[in-house]
Amino acid sequence: MGTPSYDVEETRLFAKWILDIDEGNIGGPNDGVATIDLPDDLLTKDYVDPISKLFDFVYPDILKYYENQHYFQDRAILAPTNEIVDEINNSLLKFFPGDKVEYLSSDTICSSEYINDTLDTTLYSPELLNGLIISGLPNHKLVLKVGVPVMLLRNLYQKEGLCNGTRLQIIPLGTRVVEGKIIFGTNIGHRVLIHRSPLTPSNN
């Protein structure tokens, strides 16, 4: 059974609209700031709890289907900032049964950044380091539950399909390793292990 032609055309028009926004072809001449009218069918009009309304739309009956890997293949929520990503993730976790597991980073200052050996390292307290939100790096605390969908932000092992943007569903949660099942792409169904990885910001 093929995909209905109207779905293909609708997807093509939507993709073109997104590209036109990205290329600045919508909103008239501007210097980087423009006003764009969004179609009504793309708007969440519940101003009391818009995130819950968004979940109802993207993930209907999530408790009924969350154990089915196919349920998440055609569903995802994209967000413009890390703060909104955290808000959405924290809200989504509440829908999943089971206990939360927290994973914390181990933050240290690169030795090359010390001005001299006598620099008081209390200037860089763990609280300060853990509170930093840096583009391209995950936050200090990652909270997961079994069954939640996640997306990789790094190329870990491309031969196994573990690339930036790979979507997985969490299975067991270990102390130092997280196991996931790939739910999108050419390696659907493969179970993989995600271990701790050293990450260094590219911007000094």
Side-chain angles (χ1 to χ4, degrees):
M1 182 175 178
T3 303
S5 59
Y6 65 84
D7 285 347
V8 174
E9 179 63 14
E10 185 178 350
T11 301
R12 186 188 69 78
L13 291 174
F14 179 72
K16 182 180 183 306
W17 180 70
I18 293 292
L19 287 174
D20 284 340
I21 292 176
D22 181 60
E23 294 172 359
N25 297 330
I26 295 179
N30 63 81
D31 58 355
V33 177
T35 300
I36 298 171
D37 293 327
L38 297 177
D40 286 342
D41 61 336
L42 296 181
L43 298 176
T44 299
K45 298 182 179 180
D46 186 334
Y47 297 104
V48 178
D49 193 358
I51 291 183
S52 292
K53 191 72 173 180
L54 180 63
F55 289 155
D56 291 340
F57 176 76
V58 179
Y59 300 114
D61 299 318
I62 189 171
L63 283 177
K64 184 177 179 180
Y65 297 111
Y66 81 94
E67 292 181 318
N68 183 345
Q69 68 178 25
H70 301 291
Y71 178 76
F72 292 109
Q73 286 178 358
D74 299 324
R75 294 174 167 85
I77 297 175
L78 302 180
T81 65
N82 288 337
E83 289 78 10
I84 296 177
V85 169
D86 286 342
E87 186 177 356
I88 290 174
N89 288 344
N90 292 335
S91 298
L92 185 60
L93 280 174
K94 297 175 184 177
F95 287 88
F96 287 82
D99 297 328
K100 296 187 294 186
V101 179
E102 291 186 354
Y103 295 92
L104 305 178
S105 68
S106 176
D107 293 329
T108 57
I109 296 293
C110 296
S111 58
S112 60
E113 294 181 8
Y114 282 92
I115 298 174
N116 56 58
D117 294 335
T118 62
L119 180 63
D120 185 359
T121 55
T122 57
L123 291 175
Y124 305 103
S125 65
E127 292 76 15
L128 172 65
L129 296 174
N130 295 342
L132 294 176
I133 298 177
I134 301 173
S135 178
L137 289 182
N139 293 343
H140 166 62
K141 181 167 69 174
L142 173 65
V143 182
L144 296 173
K145 283 185 178 181
V146 171
V148 299
V150 298
M151 179 182 289
L152 289 183
L153 300 179
R154 283 288 187 281
N155 293 323
L156 296 181
Y157 191 41
Q158 297 186 27
K159 290 183 179 179
E160 293 292 329
L162 297 181
C163 309
N164 182 15
T166 298
R167 295 168 58 196
L168 308 99
Q169 187 173 16
I170 297 301
I171 315 176
L173 292 166
T175 303
R176 299 182 181 276
V177 168
V178 171
E179 185 174 356
K181 182 163 53 178
I182 298 176
I183 60 174
F184 196 80
T186 57
N187 294 288
I188 290 178
H190 288 196
R191 296 171 69 125
V192 295
L193 298 176
I194 310 296
H195 53 76
R196 286 179 175 266
S197 301
L199 300 172
T200 303
S202 58
N203 188 341
N204 292 330

